[in-house]
């Protein structure tokens, strides 16, 4: 598909790729085009075509300090030489201990017990298993349901899928294998606008009617990400915490996308001044260098789990506590602890607010919204990802739209000039979308 590609000494065999390699959510029959990346530094991806692209995605929320960061690279290099992996059953090591200490310090007071998982989806699975085992330990084994809200996204494994949006997610596709959970309407009042307390009625009623079966309420705090890039009111989250306290339910917060500064607070739950009983972290945890996630719970939850009939928490992946991943995370969190992210995210936010504002007047733009280092143009129709992707590449940026959303969440280290290139590309592409398909095809190939 990408005709401009010139073979170089770093030639990438995209034919083999198309024939043999799955990519996220793609077909092996009509494989979508892929772009060969040979290296990346700062906020720039170097393609094999010679083109350099400014990254607007942080590689899906993860790469918050930019690519090839000398401090993270050095930490990983040093760690590989010393101890790249060792089983975590019956063995421990400094990288895991140091990382857990940092996570306990950074998160709210209640969160004290750290489970290191391989990926975000697994961190969600672990959180749900903890909740169920907690209630077994409390002699309430019937509390097995998870209550969540529509438009959520929590990962691709089976338990995680069961709490994703029931329509946009993968519920019907896998039938009986996906556990039936309880769904309340998605939060309505928007971040930064008035809160309408009447929206609590629906979820309040579900809780009142079902609390004896509910183990936990699980939600993405403040920002619903892959389920629609929706930013909701902190009062909703605060009210949910109160409902959980009133009916004795655990609150699981999935901060996998929002954690580590993305929404303008270190953790999005800080917007609502609340604490979780169980917190899921991932994505930016290692600065985007290697897969790692964490599920952190309170003393109370850990005690319940440990007093369940099993007597132990029933999860233990092969690569648990991988020292290489932990060392990347430690280096990334040390950068976070230097606090530059606060001014970086604040200035990204104000620049996106001013530069994206005029897109509101485009006829095909339904909404423009910005929260922290996340900027979204919501369009009035579903987008052709492959076509738009090519247009963005032609404009020298890496932005990957999905559904009806053109959005960016750049590395915090992006410069004002680079960010302007992203916002202007968003507006250029958005302003062309109202054309019929044939015209769009003409533009992207012309
Ligand atoms: C990405 C994401 C996950 C899943 O994480 P993976 O590492 O892709 O398994 C879960 N929850 C949220 C909110 C996410 O954004």
């Amino acid at each position: 598909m990408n005709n401009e590609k010139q073979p170089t000494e770093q030639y990438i065999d995209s034919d083999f790729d198309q024939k043999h390699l799955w990519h996220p959510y793609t077909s092996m029959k009509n494989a979508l085009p892929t772009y060969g990346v040979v290296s990346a530094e700062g906020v720039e991806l170097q393609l094999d075509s010679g083109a350099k692209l400014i990254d607007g995605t942080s590689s899906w929320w993860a790469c918050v300090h930019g690519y090839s960061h000398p401090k993270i690279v050095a930490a990983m290099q040093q760690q590989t030489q010393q101890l790249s992996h060792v089983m975590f059953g019956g063995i421990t090591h400094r990288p895991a201990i140091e990382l857990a200490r940092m996570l306990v310090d950074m998160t709210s007071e209640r969160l004290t017990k750290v489970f290191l998982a391989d990926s975000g989806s697994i961190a969600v699975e672990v959180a749900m298993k903890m909740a169920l085992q907690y209630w077994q330990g409390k002699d309430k084994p019937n509390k097995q349901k998870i209550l969540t809200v529509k438009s959520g996204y929590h990962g691709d494994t089976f338990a995680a899928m069961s709490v994703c949006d029931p329509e946009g997610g993968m519920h019907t596709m896998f039938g009986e294998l996906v556990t039936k959970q309880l769904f309340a309407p998605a939060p309505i009042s928007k971040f930064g606008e008035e809160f309408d307390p009447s929206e609590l009625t629906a979820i309040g009623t579900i809780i009142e009617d079902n609390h004896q079966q509910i183990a936990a309420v699980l939600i993405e705090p403040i920002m619903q990400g892959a389920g629609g890039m929706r930013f909701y009111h902190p009062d909703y989250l605060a009210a949910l915490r109160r409902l959980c306290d009133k009916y004795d339910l655990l609150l699981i917060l999935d901060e996998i996308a929002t954690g580590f500064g993305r929404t303008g607070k270190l953790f999005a739950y800080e917007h609502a001044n609340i604490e979780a009983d169980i917190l899921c972290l991932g994505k930016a945890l290692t600065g985007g260098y290697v897969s790692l996630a964490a599920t952190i719970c309170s003393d109370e939850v850990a005690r319940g789990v440990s007093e369940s009939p099993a007597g132990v928490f029933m999860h233990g992946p092969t690569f648990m506590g991988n020292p290489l991943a932990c060392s990347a995370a430690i280096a990334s969190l040390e950068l976070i602890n230097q606090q530059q992210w606060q001014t970086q995210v604040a200035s990204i936010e104000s620049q996106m607010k001013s530069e994206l504002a005029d897109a509101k007047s485009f006829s095909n733009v339904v909404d423009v919204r910005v929260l922290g280092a996340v900027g979204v143009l919501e369009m009035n129709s579903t987008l052709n990802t492959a076509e738009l992707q090519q247009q963005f590449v032609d404009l020298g940026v890496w932005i990957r739209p999905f559904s009806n959303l053109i959005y960016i969440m750049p590395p915090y280290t992006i410069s004002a000039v680079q960010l302007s290139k992203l916002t202007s590309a968003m507006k250029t592409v958005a302003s062309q979308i109202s054309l019929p398909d044939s015209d769009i095809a003409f533009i992207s190939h012309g």
Side-chain angles (χ1 to χ4, degrees), residues 28 54 76 246 263 306 340:
M28 271 289 165
I54 295 171
M76 293 180 74
K246 182 174 171 194
T263 68
S306 309
Q340 272 131 309

Side-chain angles (χ1 to χ4, degrees), residues 376-391:
V376 184
L377 302 185
E378 183 176 333
M379 310 300 295
N380 64 1
S381 62
T382 303
L383 304 168
N384 181 331
T385 297
E387 297 278 2
L388 265 58
Q389 186 89 85
Q390 181 64 56
Q391 293 177 34

Side-chain angles (χ1 to χ4, degrees), residues 8 53 330 407:
T8 66
L53 306 181
I330 292 164
Y407 68 111

